[in-house]
Amino acid sequence: MVNRRLLLRTGGVAAAAALGTAAVSSTAAAAQTTEPAPFADGQHPLGSGPTDGVTRTLLQQHPSPAEGWDAVQTLVQIPRNKESGRHSHPGVEVGYIIQGDVLMEFDDRPAIRLRTGDPFFIPNGAIHNARNVGTVTTKMLSTYVVDPTKPLVTTY
């Protein structure tokens, strides 16, 4: 069982280590694996302007039991009044809102409001934007099952 308080206090790093998972810090992630990480440095800032301060930190990456796919887990943090920016992934995203309030906007369907404790699912290739509409930094645990030959994030 994950210690949620530990995850919130440490941004996932200590929790991932406590669970015995791989790839935690930016340089340690690259040094511990020969597989390409979805982010060259383990932590990926998502742009400038409305996306300033938004980060996606790699917690772990492993080959999926389904041949040709990788399972990737990240901690996404979106400061107040910021957004991820329109983007998609080369596979599905299964997520959980650890803290905060998000308006998940889609190009091809209505937006959904997500709050602390809510799960979410984003289909393969769906263009979406996570907008922090709350009063604290939003923290999302996102797990992807993706094609490892493609970038984890494609921005629009």
Side-chain angles (χ1 to χ4, degrees), residues 8-125:
L8 291 171
R9 275 195 302 253
T10 63
V13 175
L19 292 171
T21 56
V24 176
S25 74
S26 58
T27 53
Q32 291 176 3
T33 181
T34 56
E35 296 177 12
F39 313 116
D41 63 358
Q43 189 172 49
H44 179 67
L46 299 179
S48 60
T51 62
D52 280 345
V54 176
T55 60
R56 191 179 275 116
T57 303
L58 177 66
L59 299 177
Q60 57 180 327
Q61 177 178 359
H62 303 280
S64 168
E67 188 174 332
W69 296 91
D70 270 7
V72 179
Q73 191 170 58
T74 65
L75 176 67
V76 180
Q77 297 185 74
I78 306 173
R80 286 180 45 198
N81 303 316
K82 300 294 181 177
E83 60 190 71
S84 65
R86 290 176 62 245
H87 66 283
S88 66
H89 309 285
V92 299
E93 177 180 359
V94 179
Y96 178 78
I97 307 298
I98 298 169
Q99 169 184 291
D101 295 294
V102 170
L103 186 63
M104 193 69 71
E105 302 166 323
F106 297 91
D107 278 13
D108 64 346
R109 69 197 74 189
I112 55 174
R113 176 80 182 251
L114 300 166
R115 295 176 172 86
T116 300
D118 286 344
F120 61 92
F121 178 86
I122 299 177
N124 182 4

